Amino acid sequence: MNAPAFAAPAAASVALRPRLRGFAAESVFVTRSLKHSLRDGESLVMAIALPVMLMLMFTWVFGGAIDPSGAYVDYVVPGIILTCAGFGAASTAVYVANDMRSGIIDRFRTMPLRASAVLTGHVVASLLRNLLATGVVIGVGVLVGFQPEASFMDWVGVAALIALYILAITYLFAAIGLAAGSPEGANGYGFALLFLPYLSSAFVPVESMPHWLQPVAAHQPITPIVDTIRSLLSDTSLGAELWWAIGWCLVILVIAVAWGAWLFRRKSGRR
């Protein structure tokens, strides 16, 4: 009896799904992150409320002792703006760490999209949230006596520098979220960076600090950024601080993007 003939299995041609073109993937992840932000209303409210309360405290509680003339609000608002940006960006580290721990990255890796789209979604959503919070903080500052003398082009420069700073530190916090072992750890590491504005010219002049602390405060990234924003809002000469501010933002951004991309490939690849 002849053995039945078995047909050789034909080579299955797997039709690979094409990658999404343009910024389609990024727009999807930005929308996803914004929806998460709206659902996590407490974090959004606190990112706005904490800097506002900080500004009211420095203006009404400490302002009279620091500057009895009442002009301290004009000095402190730029520092509060950067503090507000730090609070808002810190939540990005927690969101990224949650994604890494939940296992959803495994599903994303099976989809025809760029891996960078995941981080880009978190970063762009944080940028939009922080710009909104910054607008609220400036509005509250005006209500308590802030009187900027900036021209229209000065305001454009302020907005551009704030956006660049938020973009840089948000990418940095996203990389911290990837490096952290848990959302709790990401929150702790991010909280440590929020002290940088207090070691700068954001709240008091560098000259008023102890002599051993002045070089640290003068040569860290926040000081030229806050001084540039202050000069733009008061319509005074910028000097070299503008280029130091832009340079620091770009250095932080390049390092954070490279570090985040390396961490994402390393951590998602072994899941």
Side-chain angles (χ1 to χ4, degrees), residues 149-160 232-233 235:
E149 300 177 1
S151 64
F152 174 77
M153 292 308 299
D154 289 334
W155 277 110
V156 172
V158 169
L232 288 170
L233 291 176
D235 197 21

Side-chain angles (χ1 to χ4, degrees), residues 126-153:
S126 177
L127 176 63
L128 296 176
R129 291 195 307 265
N130 280 311
L131 289 176
L132 173 63
T134 300
V136 172
V137 169
I138 293 176
V140 173
V142 172
L143 292 178
V144 298
F146 177 50
Q147 297 178 345
E149 300 177 1
S151 64
F152 174 77
M153 292 308 299

Side-chain angles (χ1 to χ4, degrees), residues 64-162:
I66 298 174
D67 186 355
S69 68
Y72 182 63
V73 63
D74 293 326
Y75 183 90
V76 79
V77 165
I80 298 296
I81 290 173
L82 297 189
T83 305
C84 171
F87 277 119
S91 62
T92 304
V94 179
Y95 291 143
V96 172
N98 271 324
D99 275 355
M100 296 301 296
R101 187 173 69 172
S102 66
I104 197 171
I105 299 298
D106 293 332
R107 180 175 297 180
F108 292 156
R109 293 184 68 239
T110 65
M111 298 179 180
L113 50 85
R114 291 179 293 275
S116 61
V118 181
L119 291 183
T120 301
H122 283 295
V123 170
V124 174
S126 177
L127 176 63
L128 296 176
R129 291 195 307 265
N130 280 311
L131 289 176
L132 173 63
T134 300
V136 172
V137 169
I138 293 176
V140 173
V142 172
L143 292 178
V144 298
F146 177 50
Q147 297 178 345
E149 300 177 1
S151 64
F152 174 77
M153 292 308 299
D154 289 334
W155 277 110
V156 172
V158 169
L161 182 56
I162 291 174

Side-chain angles (χ1 to χ4, degrees), residues 163-245:
L164 179 60
Y165 172 74
I166 293 174
L167 184 66
I169 63 169
T170 302
Y171 258 112
L172 180 59
F173 277 112
I176 290 173
L178 289 172
S182 66
E184 294 78 12
N187 189 41
Y189 296 141
F191 186 76
L193 292 178
L194 298 180
F195 283 97
L196 276 180
Y198 299 98
L199 297 176
S200 71
S201 62
F203 298 101
V204 294
V206 174
E207 295 76 17
S208 66
M209 299 179 183
H211 291 291
W212 61 268
L213 188 58
Q214 289 182 16
V216 177
H219 297 96
Q220 62 126 314
I222 301 297
T223 293
I225 297 172
V226 73
D227 285 347
T228 300
I229 295 174
R230 188 175 289 125
S231 297
L232 288 170
L233 291 176
S234 60
D235 197 21
T236 58
S237 177
L238 291 172
E241 294 298 310
L242 172 63
W243 304 112
W244 279 107

